[in-house]
Amino acid sequence: MRIGRYDAWSEYDAVAAVMGGHSEALTLAKSSADANHMIQCWNIAKESLLAYGCTPGQAEQLLTVTKDLRQLSDCKDLDPNVHVLRAYIGRCAYRARLRLQSWPTIESEDCIGSGIIIVEPGTLGLTQSQRDDLEAELSDGRGSLSKNNNNLVYGRNGYDNCTAVLTGITPFLSQVTGHSESIITEELSRTAFAQSVINGPHDNDIQKVLHQDTWFDAWKLWYFPRDVKHGDGPFRYARYSHGLSSARLRLAKEFATPGKTWESWRSAGHDEGSWRVSDDELLQMGCGSNDITCHAGTLVLANVFGYHARGEAIETKERIALHASIRLNPWKN
């Protein structure tokens, strides 16, 4: 199966090219994708890091979800190639989860490959009445930029239609992510909320710089109850940028090199592990970004290990959505 433009062997060769050749550590990492269960996958991943030269403590830190390298206190003196290996280990965990789940549908396989799917209103199967009710729920004044106890939606009073949409797409989310439906339900109950984004032109929003969210495959979804047009601050995504190309991995190695000072436009988010890239750096990966405009009633799901951003607005506008994230330990299925 291709993730980005790469099958398992292409990823393996790209990692080897950046790390300076094939090695026992790399071979072990690849074999973790063939594990019989995710505990075994984690154990093989740890063996891979030990073979690379990590101590047991360093290996266990690297196998956490921590994205800010400054917080990996035991790993500060490691060669930056270890973070190339780490990205590959995370990808192998994703491949293992997908293999251990049921075989994906054509639609989910397309999302796995390109990194994004846009589900049009007709395909989502909602009636006009249901769409109207969803818009009413999401525009009732409780929405905000970030989640809080007041705007969480799953199973909450006043959000019956939002809960129904999330329940309906849970099997598809399971197919795309490789996490079980029960785990997806737990995550949606924790992260799904009514979002309201006030987007103005040239407001120095660091989310408008193309970035990855973290070091492993993770997902975000939006249900947009209103049209989103160019100039409305649409979601922006670079299809296939979640693929482990040699160009992307070389950047990861550079970004993980200690002591480097980065341009101010990359922002504090870059130092926190949500690495920012320029359009030129994206082109080196063979990718380009596009605004995701859509009709009212559209669902968007994206792999946010791929590069994405909040789009620019030509005037200050509010964009409302049902928003959720699925960012789980890669070895949790």
Side-chain angles (χ1 to χ4, degrees):
M1 181 185 299
R2 291 183 180 273
I3 301 176
R5 296 188 177 96
Y6 306 98
D7 60 20
W9 282 107
S10 300
E11 288 174 346
Y12 179 71
D13 288 340
V15 176
V18 174
M19 293 186 65
H22 300 91
S23 64
E24 180 187 2
L26 194 52
T27 301
L28 279 166
K30 186 176 187 302
S31 70
S32 69
D34 298 319
N36 294 319
H37 49 77
M38 294 310 294
I39 294 175
Q40 183 185 43
C41 181
W42 186 92
N43 286 331
I44 298 172
K46 183 177 178 180
E47 288 179 30
S48 169
L49 290 166
L50 294 176
Y52 185 74
C54 296
T55 67
Q58 289 170 334
E60 290 179 10
Q61 274 201 352
L62 289 165
L63 295 177
T64 66
V65 297
T66 302
K67 65 177 181 177
D68 189 335
L69 305 190
R70 297 169 300 184
Q71 295 179 14
L72 300 174
S73 56
D74 293 340
C75 303
K76 290 185 290 186
D77 297 326
L78 290 174
D79 185 294
N81 262 334
V82 77
H83 297 287
V84 176
L85 179 60
R86 188 191 195 202
Y88 182 55
I89 285 170
R91 175 53 51 80
C92 289
Y94 181 28
R95 287 192 177 277
R97 293 198 314 272
L98 291 173
R99 186 178 54 78
L100 292 168
Q101 290 281 28
S102 58
W103 192 254
T105 62
I106 292 173
E107 291 80 9
S108 57
E109 193 167 350
D110 180 63
C111 181
I112 291 164
S114 69
I116 189 169
I117 190 167
I118 301 163
V119 185
E120 299 287 349
T123 305
L124 198 55
L126 299 174
T127 66
Q128 185 60 55
S129 176
Q130 289 171 317
R131 288 164 52 188
D132 291 344
D133 289 342
L134 278 160
E135 182 177 4
E137 288 180 3
L138 294 167
S139 59
D140 71 352
R142 286 185 281 176
S144 64
L145 179 62
S146 303
K147 66 181 179 182
N148 57 56
N149 287 332
N150 194 43
N151 63 16
L152 289 171
V153 304
Y154 201 93
R156 303 295 182 101
N157 284 337
Y159 288 120
D160 293 347
N161 290 281
C162 289
T163 300
V165 166
L166 293 169
T167 301
I169 64 173
T170 293
F172 181 75
L173 297 176
S174 178
Q175 286 194 340
V176 169
T177 66
H179 296 294
S180 68
E181 290 185 30
S182 61
I183 293 295
I184 294 292
T185 298
E186 288 178 16
E187 186 73 348
L188 293 177
S189 68
R190 189 181 67 83
T191 68
F193 72 100
Q195 185 182 57
S196 170
V197 177
I198 306 299
N199 191 335
H202 312 298
D203 55 4
N204 297 316
D205 182 351
I206 65 171
Q207 300 303 321
K208 291 181 179 179
V209 182
L210 288 160
H211 61 280
Q212 64 175 39
D213 270 11
T214 190
W215 64 269
F216 55 88
D217 294 282
W219 293 264
K220 284 183 175 175
L221 68 85
W222 295 261
Y223 170 81
F224 295 110
R226 299 172 182 166
D227 292 346
V228 181
K229 303 173 183 176
H230 289 292
D232 288 347
F235 178 60
R236 173 169 282 221
Y237 193 76
R239 285 175 171 84
Y240 302 103
S241 64
H242 64 312
L244 292 186
S245 64
S246 56
R248 175 174 179 143
L249 292 167
R250 287 190 188 97
L251 272 177
K253 179 178 178 179
E254 186 176 358
F255 291 155
T257 300
K260 288 218 168 190
T261 301
W262 298 102
E263 303 93 334
S264 59
W265 62 262
R266 295 190 197 264
S267 79
H270 188 80
D271 293 328
E272 293 167 358
S274 293
W275 291 333
R276 264 63 179 170
V277 296
S278 66
D279 288 335
D280 286 344
E281 288 166 337
L282 199 60
L283 285 172
Q284 291 171 24
M285 303 176 209
C287 303
S289 63
N290 298 100
D291 286 347
I292 308 301
T293 57
C294 59
H295 298 295
T298 296
L299 178 81
V300 177
L301 172 68
N303 184 328
V304 289
F305 178 63
Y307 283 98
H308 62 284
R310 185 174 295 148
E312 189 60 86
I314 57 175
E315 61 182 14
T316 300
K317 300 195 74 168
E318 179 188 36
R319 191 193 73 193
I320 63 172
L322 167 59
H323 181 43
S325 60
I326 302 167
R327 190 165 81 183
L328 292 158
N329 185 300
W331 293 275
K332 187 171 186 176
N333 69 332

